[in-house]
Amino acid sequence: MKIVIIGGTGQIGTKVIERLTAQGHEAVAASPQTGVNTLTGEGLSEALAGAQVVVDVTNAPSWETEAVLNFFTTSTRNQLAAEAEAGVRHHVAVSIVGSRKMAGSGYMDAKIAQEDLIIAGPIPYTIIHATQFFEFVPWIAQASTGEDGKVRVSPHLFQPIAADDVADAVVRAALGEPAGAIEIAGPDKLGIDEAVRQAVPDADVVSDPDAGYFGADVDDTSLVAGEGAWIGKRRFADFVAR
Ligand SMILES: NC(=O)c1ccc[n+]([C@@H]2O[C@H](COP(=O)([O-])OP(=O)(O)OC[C@H]3O[C@@H](n4cnc5c(N)ncnc54)[C@H](OP(=O)(O)O)[C@@H]3O)[C@@H](O)[C@H]2O)c1
């Protein structure tokens, strides 16, 4: 089966391509690096010719409010239009657990807009709402570092997941039937502050219940998956140990 991975050169995309190729599928990486740009439409119809499934694991180069909203809306509109023309039967995208609870944050609003376009669009879909990737925790620390060098992060719970588990879930979705919205998460719930302390041991972490998460207010329910979520098998402690 031909499956086009938009963002196939990225963190999740690379792993998805490896897995699908190993299973004998024609997995095509589509991104600016391979001559496909979902913002301008360059190379999109050519890449999608003969594809049955499209996986969108792109991310925006800038997370500034207007830029990120423009990225996810323009990119998604262009993908869905090209998919309709190419006869694609399943659009799979990765979003974020709790995105709608965190409306008002620029990045989350952009992901919600992406989800809304997919839901209203012409292609049967699976939207995989994932929790934060283990590999993202050092970036949370970096983004939360103040001028005083202190890392102010929330002690509220989250449920991080390994990028490898995300890739496994994306592959399963891509090879399955359109499933609507689903959630995936890791096996451990812990405070964001605790995770940063473990993953970035030299960080000067201050636990701040009002720190929020990338501009959104959070509580102990915002960033954890609901009942029925698919739970990955890789443990955060093993990631930290590595
Ligand atoms: N990080 C987290 O904790 C987390 C949690 C839940 C969900 N997610 C979601 O997971 C998704 C994938 O994240 P990731 O970390 O794998 O992303 P990533 O490593 O930053 O990769 C981004 C990909 O997007 C491609 N891209 C950028 N601009 C493009 C354009 N104009 N046209 C086509 N492709 C373009 C890049 O291509 P080039 O290599 O060619 O530049 C790259 O392949 C994102 O949508 C994110 O919202 C992330």
Side-chain angles (χ1 to χ4, degrees):
M1 174 158 67
K2 179 173 174 183
I3 304 169
V4 176
I5 318 302
I6 317 266
T9 53
Q11 179 176 217
I12 301 302
T14 310
K15 292 176 184 293
V16 169
I17 299 258
E18 278 169 14
R19 284 157 169 76
L20 288 170
T21 305
Q23 292 186 40
H25 296 286
E26 185 190 352
V28 177
S31 83
Q33 278 191 63
T34 71
V36 179
N37 189 326
T38 55
L39 286 180
T40 61
E42 180 199 347
L44 198 50
S45 333
E46 293 85 344
L48 261 51
Q52 284 156 283
V53 177
V54 167
V55 171
D56 178 5
V57 278
T58 55
N59 212 344
S62 163
W63 291 13
E64 185 273 320
T65 298
E66 251 183 62
V68 71
L69 182 65
N70 178 57
F71 178 86
F72 279 113
T73 51
T74 305
S75 172
T76 301
R77 278 196 192 100
N78 286 340
Q79 287 178 55
L80 295 174
E83 288 169 31
E85 232 171 77
V88 168
R89 62 167 184 79
H90 188 184
H91 180 90
V92 178
V94 177
S95 193
I96 302 176
V97 160
S99 52
R100 277 169 207 275
K101 289 187 199 159
M102 292 181 277
S105 138
Y107 190 85
M108 295 301 167
D109 285 349
K111 295 299 287 184
I112 294 167
Q114 175 191 16
E115 293 166 20
D116 286 343
L117 286 166
I118 296 168
I119 292 164
I123 313 295
Y125 64 88
T126 303
I127 298 173
I128 303 172
H129 292 262
T131 53
Q132 286 60 48
F133 308 161
F134 292 170
E135 294 78 0
F136 190 57
V137 172
W139 290 96
I140 296 177
Q142 199 182 338
S144 310
T145 304
E147 281 177 11
D148 57 2
K150 294 191 188 306
V151 181
R152 280 190 175 68
V153 276
S154 168
H156 289 301
L157 294 178
F158 77 153
Q159 195 176 353
I161 182 168
D164 277 312
D165 279 335
V166 176
D168 288 345
V170 169
V171 165
R172 201 174 34 253
L175 298 178
E177 292 304 311
I182 62 169
E183 288 192 335
I184 64 170
D188 303 301
K189 292 179 194 166
L190 71 170
I192 300 175
D193 56 349
E194 187 50 36
V196 170
R197 284 193 182 95
Q198 289 180 24
V200 192
D202 57 350
D204 185 0
V205 176
V206 176
S207 303
D208 178 354
D210 299 321
Y213 181 73
F214 285 94
D217 291 337
V218 291
D219 59 26
D220 280 342
T221 66
S222 313
L223 297 167
V224 303
E227 266 182 41
W230 178 83
I231 303 297
K233 58 180 186 290
R234 294 167 178 91
R235 311 297 302 258
F236 188 67
D238 294 330
F239 165 73
V240 168
R242 279 203 309 277

